[in-house]
Amino acid sequence: MDQEKLSPVYSPVQESRHNGSPSQKTAMPRWKYKGKERSTIELLCSWIVDHQISIAASLLSTLFLTHLSYPQARHHTRKFFQLSYYNPTTGNFAAGWDDLFFVIYWITVFTGMRCAVMDYILAPFATWAGLRKKKAIVRFAEQAWLMLYDAVFWMTGMYIYYNSDYWLSLTNLWVDFPTREISGLVKWYYLVQFAFWLQQIVVVNIEELRKDYAQMFSHHVITCTLIFTSYGYHQSKVGNVILCIMDLADIILPFAKILKYFKFGLICDVTFGVFIVTWFVSRHLFYNAICWSIWAQVPYVMNYGCFQGSSTSLQGPLPIPNDWDHLIQPFYDPEGLICMNDRIRLVFLGMLLLLQFVLLLWFATIVRIAWTVVNGGEADDTRSDDEEEELETEGCKGSDTRGFKMKEDYIEVEDPLIEQEVWAEDMHFKPPVKGSNMQKNSRSSSARRSTRRGEGHSAATTAVSLRASAGDRKELLGRIGCDHKGS
C-alpha cells in the first residue's frame, strides 16, 4: 500500500509589485506591524499612501483640464504652475501670498513623482542589479531618490551661487536690503526646495518609524520655517548658500548607503569617510561661519529700519511701528512694509542655531559609527526601523546583511505541495531511548520548526515522528489506510 507524503515547501519569493519589485509603500504604514485595530484616520492614510500616484495624477490632470477648458479660470489656475508677481520692467519676480499655490503644485508633483520613480524605475533596477531582500530594495529606492534630488538641486544652487555677487563673500549676503525682486530661476529654485521639504515632513510620517524620527522631523520643520521666513524677508541670498551647504552631504550619504546595500563594504567605508569630512566642513564650519556673520557683521552692513514700495519705488528707512502687522506684511504684500532690527536678526540666528543643535546630535552618531569602523567594524545604518529587531525572522539571522538588519529574508506564500510515493515497509519506527540525545534533539528541532512555520505547519512536521509509540504507529497506519481490519 502506498501513500502520498505531503510536505510544505517555502520559497524565498518577494511581495511583488511593478515588474516583480516591491513597492516603496510595502514599508508603510507603520501601524500594521503593531497588531492594532486601525482607526478611520489610519485607514484613510493607508488608502492615500497606496494611491499616491493616482491621486497626484488626478489632481494635476484636473488642474490642466480646467486651465484649458475654462479660459475665465486661467487667472487662478496659472498660479499653480507659473511664477507669480512678474515685473516686466525689470524682468524679475517679487514675493507674495500667491506663491503658496505654486508650492502646493510642486508638493503634489513630488508626491506622485517620488512614488512613480521609486516603484517603476529604482526598485526594478535594484532587483535587476541583484538585490533580493524586500527591505533592501525599498531602502535602495528611497536613498537613490534622495541622492538624485539632492544632486540636481545642489548643482542648480551652486550655479546660482557661483554666478551671484555674493560668491565667497559673507559681507555681500547682507548688502542692498531689502532685495524686493529676484530672478525667475532663483524664485523657482527657492519655492521648489520649500515644496520638497514640506513633502518630506509627510514622508517621515508615512514611512516606517526610524530611531531618529524626532531629529528628522525637527530638522524638516526647522528647515521649512527657515525657508519660508527667509523668503518672505528677502533673504534668498543666505538661503541659497545654506541650501548648497546642506545638499552636498545629502548626496554622499545616500550614495554610501547604496554601496552598503550592494555589499561593497570597503568602498562604502571610504565613501562614509568622505561623507564625515564633508559633513563636518560644510555643516559645522561653513554653516557656523554664516551664523557668526549674522551675529557680527549684519548690524554694521545691513540697512536697519522699515522699507515700503516696489524695487523701483522703494521708500525708507522708516520708523518701526509698534504693532505686529509689520512682521507679517512681507508674506502677503509684495510692496508692503518690511523691517529689520536686532530683534528680528536674533530670531533668525536662534532658528539657525537650533538647526545646528540637531546637526550636532546627528554628528555625534556619525562619530560613533566612524569609531566602530576604525576598530574593525563596518559602517551601520543606525536609522533602522524600531520594529525591525522584533520582526526579524530566524532566516535573517546569520545571513550576511553587512551591518544592515533586514526585516524579512523570506516571505511565506501559500505552500505548494509535493507528492511522493512511500511504501509502508519503508517506514520504520524505533522507540526512543529515555533521556537520549536524539529525543532531546528531536524535540528541539520540532520546536524550532513550529516556531518558524507556525501552528498550521507544526502538525505536518510532527505527523511522522521518530518518537512514535506503538499506539501512535497504529493511529498513523490507520490514518494512511495501512491498518488492516481485524489486526
Side-chain angles (χ1 to χ4, degrees), residues 10 14 26 48 81 87 89 93 97 103 120 126 158 251 256 303 313 322 328 331 355 387 424 440 451 453 471:
Y10 291 85
Q14 304 171 0
T26 58
I48 293 174
F81 52 86
N87 186 345
T89 303
F93 293 83
W97 192 254
V103 173
Y120 290 95
M158 287 301 297
I251 299 173
N303 298 323
S313 59
N322 189 22
I328 61 175
F331 299 106
L355 181 58
E387 297 92 340
K440 294 179 182 180
T451 302
R453 302 182 182 179

Side-chain angles (χ1 to χ4, degrees), residues 122 131 136 138-151 196-197 200 216 246-262 267-268 271-272 274-276 278-279 283 366 381 383 404:
L122 298 178
L131 291 183
V138 172
R139 287 289 177 261
F140 166 83
E142 291 173 355
Q143 298 304 320
W145 163 256
L146 289 176
M147 185 181 68
L148 291 173
Y149 170 84
D150 289 316
F196 174 81
W197 287 108
Q200 284 297 106
M216 184 67 70
M246 295 294 184
D247 287 344
L248 181 58
D250 285 339
I251 299 173
I252 303 175
L253 180 59
F255 180 63
K257 290 184 179 182
I258 289 172
L259 292 175
K260 175 65 69 175
Y261 299 147
F262 285 104
I267 303 177
C268 172
T271 306
F272 187 73
V274 175
F275 161 73
I276 294 176
T278 304
W279 177 292
R283 298 192 175 192
I366 293 170
D381 184 3
R383 293 187 62 239
F404 285 82

